Amino acid sequence: MAKLFRAVIMGPPGSGKGTISERIAQRFGLTRLSSGDFVRENIAANTDAGVLAKTYIERGLLVPDHVMTRLLLPRLEEMTRHSWLMDGFPHTLAQAKALNSTCDLDLVISLNIPYETLKERLSERWIHPASGRVYNMGFNPPHVQGRDDISGEPLIQHDDDKPEALVARLRHYKDVAKPIIDLYKSKGILHTFSGTETDRIWPYINSLLSTKIPGTLQADTQCIPMP
Ligand SMILES: Nc1ncnc2c1ncn2[C@H]1C[C@H](O)[C@@H](COP(=O)(O)OP(=O)(O)OP(=O)(O)O)O1
Ligand SMILES: Nc1nc2c(ncn2[C@@H]2O[C@H](COP(=O)(O)OP(=O)(O)O)[C@@H](O)[C@H]2O)c(=O)[nH]1
């Protein structure tokens, strides 16, 4: 039986992880997994891990590694018959190691986007908080200004996306991502894409994945449950 395909997309805030993973999911039929969506779902469902995660998010903090792995790894273990692409996890080396002992990743996409571009994009990013749908007033504006296309509900901007918060977020990303990137590089599965426009990067990602994915989507290799 063909092998399953498991991939991770990494990059600083605003680098296009959400936008590109949506395109990959549509084009290749992978299940798109987003750590932010998992966190929001668990908070909404009041699970133990969700209640705990909320106490950090409310203070503008990242969710600690042990809570994130408790949230995510069981979901991955359920995905035994799916190929997937993960956005937002791992965010730390500890998370990368936990993921490593659960699944063999086939490929990691790392997006390398200049700071000025990130700043511009994030200042124009608007979000529908309930669904996580992302808009950009220049690049992919909503049909009706300030409203989500599907629900019609109001869009919001994250305080985090303001330029004054961005410098610190990017510095933090560089620090935490370096050892993860080194780890994936040493495994030979890292592919880095640089540029200022998603539409120009996309053809390269598309052709890379076309060489890696064909016929790989219906296998039943398994994620091994963590001890
Ligand atoms: N891997 C993770 N480790 C710790 N906390 C996480 C992780 N993934 C998500 N979270 C938490 C902290 C985030 O502020 C929150 C929402 O996640 P997410 O929607 O990915 O954030 P974001 O939209 O600010 O990221 P980005 O700007 O990179 O798109 O969930
Ligand atoms: N102008 C412009 N905006 C883009 C481009 N690619 C993505 N965006 C927008 O930039 C913002 C950040 O993209 P997103 O996919 O959310 O990045 P993430 O934070 O890495 O998940 C969103 O508002 C996107 O709609 C691009 O090529 N040009």
Side-chain angles (χ1 to χ4, degrees):
M1 222 178 254
K3 192 184 167 300
L4 286 176
F5 185 80
R6 270 81 188 258
V8 159
I9 186 163
M10 297 181 60
S15 57
K17 299 181 296 295
T19 306
I20 289 171
S21 48
E22 203 52 58
R23 288 188 191 184
I24 295 174
Q26 282 186 11
R27 165 78 175 79
F28 296 99
L30 306 183
T31 302
R32 181 193 162 204
L33 305 173
S34 147
S35 61
D37 288 349
F38 277 123
V39 170
R40 285 182 280 274
E41 278 165 30
N42 274 270
I43 291 176
N46 257 321
T47 64
D48 289 349
V51 169
L52 204 50
K54 191 174 176 194
T55 62
Y56 293 90
I57 303 252
E58 278 173 347
R59 287 178 284 153
L61 299 173
L62 285 170
V63 179
D65 293 334
H66 69 280
V67 181
M68 273 321 284
T69 49
R70 212 166 102 197
L71 275 173
L72 269 181
L73 297 186
R75 285 291 285 271
L76 295 186
E77 285 153 14
E78 285 166 14
M79 305 271 303
T80 51
R81 301 183 71 85
H82 290 85
S83 288
W84 48 252
L85 170 69
M86 174 70 83
D87 168 8
F89 184 96
H91 188 83
T92 63
L93 188 59
Q95 293 179 10
K97 287 181 174 165
L99 182 60
N100 214 13
S101 40
T102 304
C103 279
D104 269 338
L105 289 177
D106 297 286
L107 187 129
V108 175
I109 294 169
S110 171
L111 301 174
N112 181 19
I113 312 295
Y115 169 74
E116 281 304 318
T117 306
L118 299 174
K119 198 168 78 174
E120 267 170 44
R121 285 184 188 177
L122 292 181
S123 67
E124 297 203 321
R125 175 158 79 172
W126 288 77
I127 292 173
H128 177 237
S131 68
R133 274 185 287 279
V134 174
Y135 299 88
N136 183 283
M137 288 314 156
F139 182 67
N140 63 328
H143 299 317
V144 177
Q145 199 182 348
R147 298 271 161 186
D148 177 49
D149 286 349
I150 310 254
S151 66
E153 289 168 355
L155 302 177
I156 59 146
Q157 258 194 313
H158 277 165
D159 281 349
D160 259 10
D161 284 350
K162 302 203 170 122
E164 52 277 23
L166 187 60
V167 177
R169 286 176 84 197
L170 286 180
R171 191 172 303 129
H172 173 76
Y173 174 79
K174 279 196 173 156
D175 291 346
V176 294
K178 172 130 194 352
I180 307 176
I181 286 175
D182 289 346
L183 173 73
Y184 292 142
K185 208 184 277 174
S186 73
K187 286 174 164 287
I189 55 173
L190 183 77
H191 296 262
T192 301
F193 297 88
S194 305
T196 56
E197 288 169 52
T198 295
D199 287 345
R200 292 176 75 110
I201 291 175
W202 169 244
Y204 294 96
I205 295 181
N206 189 9
S207 62
L208 171 72
L209 292 183
S210 300
T211 65
K212 303 273 181 192
I213 297 182
T216 60
L217 296 181
Q218 309 118 21
D220 67 355
T221 51
Q222 299 218 343
C223 278
I224 306 151
M226 289 278 283

